[in-house]
Amino acid sequence: MRISDADREQVAQVLHAAMSEGRITINELEERLTVVYAAKTVGDLKPVTADLPQQSRSAIEPATSRALGLPDDRIGGHPGSGASIAVMSGVSRKGSWVVPPQHNSFAFWGGADLDLRNARFAEKHTTITAVAIMGGIDIIVPDDINVDVTGIGFMGAFELEDRAGTPAAPPTAPTVKITGLAFWGGVVVKRKPRKKEVPEIEI
């Protein structure tokens, strides 16, 4: 993946901090900065911070950090609800919530909406079991996590809609497996770009 000037500058700041902490010498700093400013891809940047501790790399923005293959900052936290049930009604899980390792979603003559774009994950691997009987379950996943859809549709649909059109996420990203059954109903997993915060404008 190609990198930007902002990505280079973030890594350069980490190297300057490492030198001030005595982790690398001034000569090593100069050598690594030469590599950083000549870098064109993520692969070119990885070696210059590979031997630095995680806390030294915390200045790197999350998106760049994930691209460099560093541990994903979205993993960890106290698990949220283990179930979302809609019986002749509706249920929604969205915004900032911590997805547990196993989440069960059930819809009967109703609808369930799960939005993972601003979610955290208690563990790296998550399984969502979705069962829709004469109902519907919509699950939105961001394009920077890995998703595996294996459910079964019987007189219904259990499908993945890729609306992002971007490459797969790196192996260090959270992985969500979505399985279950759609009977006379539908389970639709929609892969979309992650939501970006829009600043509020005061009038």
Side-chain angles (χ1 to χ4, degrees):
M1 185 172 65
R2 305 282 294 195
I3 56 173
S4 67
D5 288 338
D7 297 328
R8 296 183 187 92
E9 194 57 40
Q10 288 171 26
V11 177
Q13 290 175 7
V14 171
L15 293 176
H16 280 288
M19 192 212 45
S20 66
E21 295 167 356
R23 300 185 188 279
I24 61 176
T25 66
I26 183 68
N27 290 334
E28 289 174 319
L29 173 63
E30 292 175 355
E31 292 173 359
R32 297 187 188 203
L33 286 177
T34 299
V35 174
V36 168
Y37 289 118
K40 295 182 179 179
T41 67
V42 167
D44 296 334
L45 285 179
K46 286 183 179 180
V48 297
T49 59
D51 58 350
L52 299 179
Q54 176 60 33
Q55 60 267 28
S56 297
R57 301 177 293 196
S58 60
I60 302 177
E61 290 294 323
T64 305
S65 176
R66 294 168 201 152
L68 288 172
L70 305 182
D72 198 292
D73 63 323
R74 293 166 297 177
I75 300 173
H78 184 71
S81 174
S84 49
I85 300 173
V87 177
M88 292 184 286
S89 62
V91 64
S92 177
R93 297 276 184 271
K94 61 183 179 179
S96 179
W97 63 298
V98 181
V99 187
Q102 173 67 56
H103 184 86
N104 300 313
S105 183
F106 177 74
F108 175 72
W109 280 14
D113 294 309
L114 307 181
D115 191 339
L116 309 185
R117 285 176 292 178
N118 288 325
R120 293 181 56 82
F121 301 86
E123 296 182 7
K124 185 175 185 295
H125 295 277
T126 301
T127 299
I128 296 177
T129 302
V131 176
I133 299 176
M134 292 181 285
I137 299 176
D138 287 335
I139 303 173
I140 301 176
V141 298
D143 59 353
D144 55 1
I145 70 171
N146 296 299
V147 61
D148 179 22
V149 179
T150 61
I152 298 172
F154 182 69
M155 291 188 288
F158 203 117
E159 59 188 4
L160 169 66
E161 295 181 1
D162 189 346
R163 299 184 179 182
T166 54
T172 52
T175 297
V176 177
K177 179 179 180 180
I178 302 173
T179 186
L181 171 69
F183 177 70
W184 280 13
V187 175
V188 180
V189 181
K190 301 172 183 176
R191 183 173 180 263
K192 295 183 177 181
R194 175 171 294 281
K195 279 185 176 180
K196 294 184 179 179
E197 295 294 333
V198 179
E200 294 184 0
I201 301 176
E202 296 184 3
I203 301 176

PDB file of all heavy atoms in Angstrom, residues 15-42:
ATOM      1  N   LEU A  15      10.872   7.901  15.622  1.00  0.00           N
ATOM      2  CA  LEU A  15      12.328   7.706  15.619  1.00  0.00           C
ATOM      3  C   LEU A  15      13.023   8.793  16.444  1.00  0.00           C
ATOM      4  O   LEU A  15      13.980   8.509  17.183  1.00  0.00           O
ATOM      5  CB  LEU A  15      12.847   7.706  14.182  1.00  0.00           C
ATOM      6  CG  LEU A  15      12.392   6.528  13.312  1.00  0.00           C
ATOM      7  CD1 LEU A  15      12.892   6.699  11.889  1.00  0.00           C
ATOM      8  CD2 LEU A  15      12.872   5.208  13.893  1.00  0.00           C
ATOM      9  N   HIS A  16      12.575  10.036  16.327  1.00  0.00           N
ATOM     10  CA  HIS A  16      13.155  11.117  17.127  1.00  0.00           C
ATOM     11  C   HIS A  16      12.957  10.841  18.621  1.00  0.00           C
ATOM     12  O   HIS A  16      13.862  11.065  19.437  1.00  0.00           O
ATOM     13  CB  HIS A  16      12.524  12.456  16.744  1.00  0.00           C
ATOM     14  CG  HIS A  16      13.083  13.060  15.494  1.00  0.00           C
ATOM     15  ND1 HIS A  16      14.350  13.612  15.429  1.00  0.00           N
ATOM     16  CD2 HIS A  16      12.550  13.202  14.247  1.00  0.00           C
ATOM     17  CE1 HIS A  16      14.582  14.072  14.204  1.00  0.00           C
ATOM     18  NE2 HIS A  16      13.502  13.837  13.471  1.00  0.00           N
ATOM     19  N   ALA A  17      11.758  10.351  18.972  1.00  0.00           N
ATOM     20  CA  ALA A  17      11.489  10.033  20.374  1.00  0.00           C
ATOM     21  C   ALA A  17      12.384   8.888  20.850  1.00  0.00           C
ATOM     22  O   ALA A  17      12.884   8.900  21.977  1.00  0.00           O
ATOM     23  CB  ALA A  17      10.016   9.667  20.556  1.00  0.00           C
ATOM     24  N   ALA A  18      12.588   7.890  19.985  1.00  0.00           N
ATOM     25  CA  ALA A  18      13.440   6.756  20.341  1.00  0.00           C
ATOM     26  C   ALA A  18      14.872   7.205  20.590  1.00  0.00           C
ATOM     27  O   ALA A  18      15.554   6.707  21.491  1.00  0.00           O
ATOM     28  CB  ALA A  18      13.388   5.699  19.244  1.00  0.00           C
ATOM     29  N   MET A  19      15.368   8.170  19.810  1.00  0.00           N
ATOM     30  CA  MET A  19      16.724   8.671  20.014  1.00  0.00           C
ATOM     31  C   MET A  19      16.821   9.440  21.334  1.00  0.00           C
ATOM     32  O   MET A  19      17.783   9.287  22.076  1.00  0.00           O
ATOM     33  CB  MET A  19      17.141   9.584  18.860  1.00  0.00           C
ATOM     34  CG  MET A  19      18.622   9.889  18.886  1.00  0.00           C
ATOM     35  SD  MET A  19      19.135  11.518  18.257  1.00  0.00           S
ATOM     36  CE  MET A  19      18.018  12.663  18.974  1.00  0.00           C
ATOM     37  N   SER A  20      15.794  10.234  21.641  1.00  0.00           N
ATOM     38  CA  SER A  20      15.821  11.007  22.883  1.00  0.00           C
ATOM     39  C   SER A  20      15.771  10.097  24.105  1.00  0.00           C
ATOM     40  O   SER A  20      16.248  10.465  25.184  1.00  0.00           O
ATOM     41  CB  SER A  20      14.661  12.000  22.926  1.00  0.00           C
ATOM     42  OG  SER A  20      13.418  11.324  22.985  1.00  0.00           O
ATOM     43  N   GLU A  21      15.204   8.897  23.944  1.00  0.00           N
ATOM     44  CA  GLU A  21      15.150   7.920  25.040  1.00  0.00           C
ATOM     45  C   GLU A  21      16.416   7.067  25.106  1.00  0.00           C
ATOM     46  O   GLU A  21      16.560   6.239  26.003  1.00  0.00           O
ATOM     47  CB  GLU A  21      13.933   6.994  24.853  1.00  0.00           C
ATOM     48  CG  GLU A  21      12.595   7.725  24.965  1.00  0.00           C
ATOM     49  CD  GLU A  21      11.434   6.869  24.480  1.00  0.00           C
ATOM     50  OE1 GLU A  21      11.697   5.740  23.991  1.00  0.00           O
ATOM     51  OE2 GLU A  21      10.286   7.308  24.599  1.00  0.00           O
ATOM     52  N   GLY A  22      17.316   7.254  24.140  1.00  0.00           N
ATOM     53  CA  GLY A  22      18.555   6.487  24.127  1.00  0.00           C
ATOM     54  C   GLY A  22      18.436   5.107  23.504  1.00  0.00           C
ATOM     55  O   GLY A  22      19.326   4.266  23.656  1.00  0.00           O
ATOM     56  N   ARG A  23      17.357   4.868  22.792  1.00  0.00           N
ATOM     57  CA  ARG A  23      17.151   3.552  22.174  1.00  0.00           C
ATOM     58  C   ARG A  23      17.954   3.400  20.881  1.00  0.00           C
ATOM     59  O   ARG A  23      18.336   2.302  20.509  1.00  0.00           O
ATOM     60  CB  ARG A  23      15.659   3.313  21.900  1.00  0.00           C
ATOM     61  CG  ARG A  23      14.813   3.340  23.152  1.00  0.00           C
ATOM     62  CD  ARG A  23      13.370   2.969  22.862  1.00  0.00           C
ATOM     63  NE  ARG A  23      12.529   3.170  24.034  1.00  0.00           N
ATOM     64  CZ  ARG A  23      12.434   2.307  25.038  1.00  0.00           C
ATOM     65  NH1 ARG A  23      13.114   1.171  25.005  1.00  0.00           N
ATOM     66  NH2 ARG A  23      11.649   2.573  26.070  1.00  0.00           N
ATOM     67  N   ILE A  24      18.140   4.500  20.172  1.00  0.00           N
ATOM     68  CA  ILE A  24      18.962   4.483  18.968  1.00  0.00           C
ATOM     69  C   ILE A  24      19.919   5.672  19.020  1.00  0.00           C
ATOM     70  O   ILE A  24      19.670   6.660  19.723  1.00  0.00           O
ATOM     71  CB  ILE A  24      18.099   4.545  17.677  1.00  0.00           C
ATOM     72  CG1 ILE A  24      17.261   5.837  17.632  1.00  0.00           C
ATOM     73  CG2 ILE A  24      17.224   3.307  17.540  1.00  0.00           C
ATOM     74  CD1 ILE A  24      16.458   6.001  16.341  1.00  0.00           C
ATOM     75  N   THR A  25      21.028   5.572  18.281  1.00  0.00           N
ATOM     76  CA  THR A  25      22.020   6.652  18.265  1.00  0.00           C
ATOM     77  C   THR A  25      21.643   7.684  17.214  1.00  0.00           C
ATOM     78  O   THR A  25      20.761   7.462  16.371  1.00  0.00           O
ATOM     79  CB  THR A  25      23.410   6.086  17.948  1.00  0.00           C
ATOM     80  OG1 THR A  25      23.399   5.588  16.600  1.00  0.00           O
ATOM     81  CG2 THR A  25      23.786   4.966  18.909  1.00  0.00           C
ATOM     82  N   ILE A  26      22.371   8.809  17.236  1.00  0.00           N
ATOM     83  CA  ILE A  26      22.116   9.858  16.250  1.00  0.00           C
ATOM     84  C   ILE A  26      22.417   9.359  14.845  1.00  0.00           C
ATOM     85  O   ILE A  26      21.707   9.698  13.890  1.00  0.00           O
ATOM     86  CB  ILE A  26      22.951  11.125  16.568  1.00  0.00           C
ATOM     87  CG1 ILE A  26      22.618  12.247  15.577  1.00  0.00           C
ATOM     88  CG2 ILE A  26      24.441  10.804  16.556  1.00  0.00           C
ATOM     89  CD1 ILE A  26      21.250  12.799  15.691  1.00  0.00           C
ATOM     90  N   ASN A  27      23.438   8.513  14.713  1.00  0.00           N
ATOM     91  CA  ASN A  27      23.760   7.962  13.389  1.00  0.00           C
ATOM     92  C   ASN A  27      22.655   7.027  12.900  1.00  0.00           C
ATOM     93  O   ASN A  27      22.288   7.053  11.723  1.00  0.00           O
ATOM     94  CB  ASN A  27      25.099   7.221  13.434  1.00  0.00           C
ATOM     95  CG  ASN A  27      26.278   8.164  13.594  1.00  0.00           C
ATOM     96  OD1 ASN A  27      26.199   9.323  13.216  1.00  0.00           O
ATOM     97  ND2 ASN A  27      27.368   7.671  14.152  1.00  0.00           N
ATOM     98  N   GLU A  28      22.121   6.219  13.837  1.00  0.00           N
ATOM     99  CA  GLU A  28      21.024   5.323  13.460  1.00  0.00           C
ATOM    100  C   GLU A  28      19.782   6.131  13.085  1.00  0.00           C
ATOM    101  O   GLU A  28      19.039   5.762  12.168  1.00  0.00           O
ATOM    102  CB  GLU A  28      20.702   4.368  14.617  1.00  0.00           C
ATOM    103  CG  GLU A  28      21.769   3.302  14.854  1.00  0.00           C
ATOM    104  CD  GLU A  28      21.477   2.474  16.088  1.00  0.00           C
ATOM    105  OE1 GLU A  28      21.056   3.049  17.117  1.00  0.00           O
ATOM    106  OE2 GLU A  28      21.667   1.248  16.023  1.00  0.00           O
ATOM    107  N   LEU A  29      19.557   7.230  13.806  1.00  0.00           N
ATOM    108  CA  LEU A  29      18.417   8.094  13.482  1.00  0.00           C
ATOM    109  C   LEU A  29      18.541   8.618  12.055  1.00  0.00           C
ATOM    110  O   LEU A  29      17.574   8.574  11.282  1.00  0.00           O
ATOM    111  CB  LEU A  29      18.340   9.257  14.471  1.00  0.00           C
ATOM    112  CG  LEU A  29      17.294  10.342  14.144  1.00  0.00           C
ATOM    113  CD1 LEU A  29      15.883   9.770  14.187  1.00  0.00           C
ATOM    114  CD2 LEU A  29      17.434  11.531  15.089  1.00  0.00           C
ATOM    115  N   GLU A  30      19.713   9.118  11.707  1.00  0.00           N
ATOM    116  CA  GLU A  30      19.911   9.670  10.367  1.00  0.00           C
ATOM    117  C   GLU A  30      19.717   8.600   9.300  1.00  0.00           C
ATOM    118  O   GLU A  30      19.096   8.849   8.257  1.00  0.00           O
ATOM    119  CB  GLU A  30      21.309  10.280  10.267  1.00  0.00           C
ATOM    120  CG  GLU A  30      21.487  11.538  11.126  1.00  0.00           C
ATOM    121  CD  GLU A  30      22.909  12.067  11.102  1.00  0.00           C
ATOM    122  OE1 GLU A  30      23.782  11.399  10.489  1.00  0.00           O
ATOM    123  OE2 GLU A  30      23.148  13.140  11.686  1.00  0.00           O
ATOM    124  N   GLU A  31      20.250   7.392   9.560  1.00  0.00           N
ATOM    125  CA  GLU A  31      20.108   6.301   8.590  1.00  0.00           C
ATOM    126  C   GLU A  31      18.633   5.934   8.395  1.00  0.00           C
ATOM    127  O   GLU A  31      18.169   5.749   7.269  1.00  0.00           O
ATOM    128  CB  GLU A  31      20.893   5.080   9.065  1.00  0.00           C
ATOM    129  CG  GLU A  31      22.411   5.269   9.050  1.00  0.00           C
ATOM    130  CD  GLU A  31      23.143   4.099   9.700  1.00  0.00           C
ATOM    131  OE1 GLU A  31      22.458   3.167  10.179  1.00  0.00           O
ATOM    132  OE2 GLU A  31      24.382   4.136   9.734  1.00  0.00           O
ATOM    133  N   ARG A  32      17.909   5.851   9.512  1.00  0.00           N
ATOM    134  CA  ARG A  32      16.509   5.440   9.420  1.00  0.00           C
ATOM    135  C   ARG A  32      15.634   6.546   8.807  1.00  0.00           C
ATOM    136  O   ARG A  32      14.680   6.251   8.081  1.00  0.00           O
ATOM    137  CB  ARG A  32      15.980   5.045  10.804  1.00  0.00           C
ATOM    138  CG  ARG A  32      16.714   3.836  11.386  1.00  0.00           C
ATOM    139  CD  ARG A  32      16.089   3.344  12.661  1.00  0.00           C
ATOM    140  NE  ARG A  32      16.917   2.318  13.292  1.00  0.00           N
ATOM    141  CZ  ARG A  32      16.478   1.404  14.146  1.00  0.00           C
ATOM    142  NH1 ARG A  32      15.197   1.370  14.470  1.00  0.00           N
ATOM    143  NH2 ARG A  32      17.294   0.528  14.673  1.00  0.00           N
ATOM    144  N   LEU A  33      15.951   7.790   9.110  1.00  0.00           N
ATOM    145  CA  LEU A  33      15.184   8.879   8.502  1.00  0.00           C
ATOM    146  C   LEU A  33      15.369   8.911   6.995  1.00  0.00           C
ATOM    147  O   LEU A  33      14.440   9.236   6.246  1.00  0.00           O
ATOM    148  CB  LEU A  33      15.596  10.215   9.119  1.00  0.00           C
ATOM    149  CG  LEU A  33      15.111  10.498  10.540  1.00  0.00           C
ATOM    150  CD1 LEU A  33      15.654  11.826  11.036  1.00  0.00           C
ATOM    151  CD2 LEU A  33      13.586  10.472  10.621  1.00  0.00           C
ATOM    152  N   THR A  34      16.572   8.566   6.536  1.00  0.00           N
ATOM    153  CA  THR A  34      16.813   8.495   5.093  1.00  0.00           C
ATOM    154  C   THR A  34      15.891   7.467   4.454  1.00  0.00           C
ATOM    155  O   THR A  34      15.305   7.695   3.388  1.00  0.00           O
ATOM    156  CB  THR A  34      18.284   8.121   4.810  1.00  0.00           C
ATOM    157  OG1 THR A  34      19.133   9.131   5.371  1.00  0.00           O
ATOM    158  CG2 THR A  34      18.538   8.020   3.314  1.00  0.00           C
ATOM    159  N   VAL A  35      15.739   6.332   5.147  1.00  0.00           N
ATOM    160  CA  VAL A  35      14.842   5.281   4.648  1.00  0.00           C
ATOM    161  C   VAL A  35      13.394   5.762   4.673  1.00  0.00           C
ATOM    162  O   VAL A  35      12.630   5.548   3.726  1.00  0.00           O
ATOM    163  CB  VAL A  35      14.990   3.992   5.496  1.00  0.00           C
ATOM    164  CG1 VAL A  35      13.955   2.949   5.075  1.00  0.00           C
ATOM    165  CG2 VAL A  35      16.397   3.427   5.360  1.00  0.00           C
ATOM    166  N   VAL A  36      13.009   6.421   5.779  1.00  0.00           N
ATOM    167  CA  VAL A  36      11.623   6.880   5.940  1.00  0.00           C
ATOM    168  C   VAL A  36      11.222   7.845   4.831  1.00  0.00           C
ATOM    169  O   VAL A  36      10.178   7.692   4.194  1.00  0.00           O
ATOM    170  CB  VAL A  36      11.425   7.542   7.322  1.00  0.00           C
ATOM    171  CG1 VAL A  36      10.085   8.276   7.386  1.00  0.00           C
ATOM    172  CG2 VAL A  36      11.505   6.502   8.425  1.00  0.00           C
ATOM    173  N   TYR A  37      12.051   8.844   4.593  1.00  0.00           N
ATOM    174  CA  TYR A  37      11.671   9.874   3.621  1.00  0.00           C
ATOM    175  C   TYR A  37      11.793   9.401   2.169  1.00  0.00           C
ATOM    176  O   TYR A  37      11.248  10.033   1.263  1.00  0.00           O
ATOM    177  CB  TYR A  37      12.493  11.143   3.856  1.00  0.00           C
ATOM    178  CG  TYR A  37      12.077  11.851   5.128  1.00  0.00           C
ATOM    179  CD1 TYR A  37      12.966  12.014   6.175  1.00  0.00           C
ATOM    180  CD2 TYR A  37      10.777  12.319   5.285  1.00  0.00           C
ATOM    181  CE1 TYR A  37      12.577  12.651   7.357  1.00  0.00           C
ATOM    182  CE2 TYR A  37      10.369  12.947   6.453  1.00  0.00           C
ATOM    183  CZ  TYR A  37      11.270  13.114   7.482  1.00  0.00           C
ATOM    184  OH  TYR A  37      10.868  13.735   8.648  1.00  0.00           O
ATOM    185  N   ALA A  38      12.477   8.259   1.970  1.00  0.00           N
ATOM    186  CA  ALA A  38      12.555   7.680   0.629  1.00  0.00           C
ATOM    187  C   ALA A  38      11.491   6.596   0.428  1.00  0.00           C
ATOM    188  O   ALA A  38      11.295   6.106  -0.689  1.00  0.00           O
ATOM    189  CB  ALA A  38      13.942   7.095   0.380  1.00  0.00           C
ATOM    190  N   ALA A  39      10.797   6.233   1.515  1.00  0.00           N
ATOM    191  CA  ALA A  39       9.825   5.144   1.455  1.00  0.00           C
ATOM    192  C   ALA A  39       8.635   5.496   0.568  1.00  0.00           C
ATOM    193  O   ALA A  39       8.168   6.639   0.549  1.00  0.00           O
ATOM    194  CB  ALA A  39       9.346   4.796   2.858  1.00  0.00           C
ATOM    195  N   LYS A  40       8.150   4.501  -0.145  1.00  0.00           N
ATOM    196  CA  LYS A  40       6.976   4.679  -1.000  1.00  0.00           C
ATOM    197  C   LYS A  40       5.801   3.809  -0.566  1.00  0.00           C
ATOM    198  O   LYS A  40       4.656   4.124  -0.854  1.00  0.00           O
ATOM    199  CB  LYS A  40       7.336   4.362  -2.452  1.00  0.00           C
ATOM    200  CG  LYS A  40       8.350   5.333  -3.053  1.00  0.00           C
ATOM    201  CD  LYS A  40       8.640   4.991  -4.506  1.00  0.00           C
ATOM    202  CE  LYS A  40       9.641   5.982  -5.120  1.00  0.00           C
ATOM    203  NZ  LYS A  40       9.945   5.640  -6.527  1.00  0.00           N
ATOM    204  N   THR A  41       6.109   2.687   0.115  1.00  0.00           N
ATOM    205  CA  THR A  41       5.051   1.763   0.526  1.00  0.00           C
ATOM    206  C   THR A  41       5.166   1.443   2.008  1.00  0.00           C
ATOM    207  O   THR A  41       6.181   1.729   2.652  1.00  0.00           O
ATOM    208  CB  THR A  41       5.128   0.444  -0.264  1.00  0.00           C
ATOM    209  OG1 THR A  41       6.341  -0.245   0.105  1.00  0.00           O
ATOM    210  CG2 THR A  41       5.125   0.692  -1.766  1.00  0.00           C
ATOM    211  N   VAL A  42       4.131   0.830   2.542  1.00  0.00           N
ATOM    212  CA  VAL A  42       4.125   0.401   3.942  1.00  0.00           C
ATOM    213  C   VAL A  42       5.280  -0.562   4.214  1.00  0.00           C
ATOM    214  O   VAL A  42       5.940  -0.492   5.247  1.00  0.00           O
ATOM    215  CB  VAL A  42       2.776  -0.268   4.286  1.00  0.00           C
ATOM    216  CG1 VAL A  42       2.859  -0.994   5.616  1.00  0.00           C
ATOM    217  CG2 VAL A  42       1.669   0.770   4.329  1.00  0.00           C
TER     218      VAL A  42
END
